[in-house]
Amino acid sequence: MKEHFKLSYQTQGIPAPFAFAAVVEVTFMKQDVHVNCELEYLNRDELSHEEILAEGFSGEDDLKWQGRLGEGWKDPLRKVLKVSKLPEPHANFYLHMEHQGKSYFPALNDDTIVQELIQGIFEADNREAPLKILFNQKNSTSTCIWSFASRTAQIDSHFIAWEKGHEFMRLIYQHTLDQEKTFDRPKEKSVSFDGNYWVAISNEEVWNKLKALMPSKK
């Protein structure tokens, strides 16, 4: 019998139009995981249609989707099933689990794994594309692709550990890029999200950390 669990999740302290609730059922298959998801955005009646559109939504964003996510999801989700159980939900997010006839709240420190799972579902449903960053050094451009649907991180043709991909993206998004140094073509120590607009990384420490994550080229 295939292993199966269901999680119910709801954001806390997040305003509309971003707040949502989701029920996700997961079945572990031989090569991947099967997912059935129903997601509903909350409290949007408090906003006008124009306000919802201004935040990048369509106004009809609720989701019903079933399909498969990559094998890379197996181990992280199984780890969630092994964490200790709480009698009450976490103060910062609501996450309820049903597994092997037991109903409980998992003792997770944060909801990162659920947020990434939802992002993977959005990718698999073609609502969003994988994250992609172009990275230029010494007149050579590399492409980092972070796919939540497959839960893989890749720089050019080299796959790297998910955690390294996580660190690569964190360095890019959490450190201020030099907005005064922008280019329409790649230059040394610059990154781009679309290939048309490049931004310099002036922080030498951040640059060196990014280079250290790059796979060695033979």
Side-chain angles (χ1 to χ4, degrees), residues 137-180:
Q137 57 174 336
K138 295 181 180 178
N139 298 317
S140 175
T141 300
S142 294
T143 303
C144 179
I145 299 177
W146 208 29
S147 171
F148 290 87
S150 62
R151 198 175 173 85
T152 57
Q154 184 175 352
I155 296 179
D156 294 334
S157 60
H158 304 274
F159 284 95
I160 62 174
W162 182 254
E163 292 75 17
K164 281 190 175 183
H166 217 295
E167 178 65 7
F168 193 95
M169 294 297 177
R170 186 189 69 78
L171 286 167
I172 294 294
Y173 284 105
Q174 291 187 2
H175 291 81
T176 302
L177 301 176
D178 194 341
Q179 299 295 337
E180 294 183 0

Side-chain angles (χ1 to χ4, degrees), residues 17-84:
F18 305 98
F20 67 87
V23 175
V24 183
E25 296 187 59
V26 174
T27 304
F28 294 101
M29 310 298 287
K30 186 175 181 179
Q31 299 294 332
D32 49 28
V33 295
H34 184 272
V35 176
N36 191 334
C37 175
E38 292 192 17
L39 183 148
E40 179 183 5
Y41 285 91
L42 306 173
N43 305 320
R44 289 192 168 187
D45 54 347
E46 302 172 358
L47 303 176
S48 68
H49 185 62
E50 289 72 21
E51 289 174 315
I52 294 173
L53 295 179
E55 294 293 350
F57 293 97
S58 70
E60 298 181 358
D61 303 291
D62 291 351
L63 171 70
K64 287 187 178 181
W65 179 84
Q66 62 176 328
R68 296 192 174 190
L69 299 180
E71 186 177 12
W73 276 103
K74 285 185 175 182
D75 287 344
L77 291 175
R78 283 189 170 126
K79 287 180 181 178
V80 173
L81 299 178
K82 294 178 180 179
V83 301
S84 56

Side-chain angles (χ1 to χ4, degrees), residues 86-139:
L86 296 174
E88 297 180 353
H90 196 285
N92 296 326
F93 57 90
Y94 179 91
L95 177 59
H96 181 265
M97 305 282 292
E98 295 180 29
H99 178 235
Q100 295 180 340
K102 296 181 180 179
S103 178
Y104 61 95
F105 302 101
L108 296 175
N109 294 324
D110 58 55
D111 60 348
T112 299
I113 186 67
V114 183
Q115 292 283 357
E116 291 183 349
L117 179 62
I118 297 297
Q119 185 66 29
I121 291 168
F122 285 167
E123 282 185 19
D125 190 44
N126 295 317
R127 290 195 173 203
E128 296 188 14
L131 286 174
K132 181 170 75 171
I133 292 179
L134 303 176
F135 177 90
N136 193 71
Q137 57 174 336
K138 295 181 180 178
N139 298 317

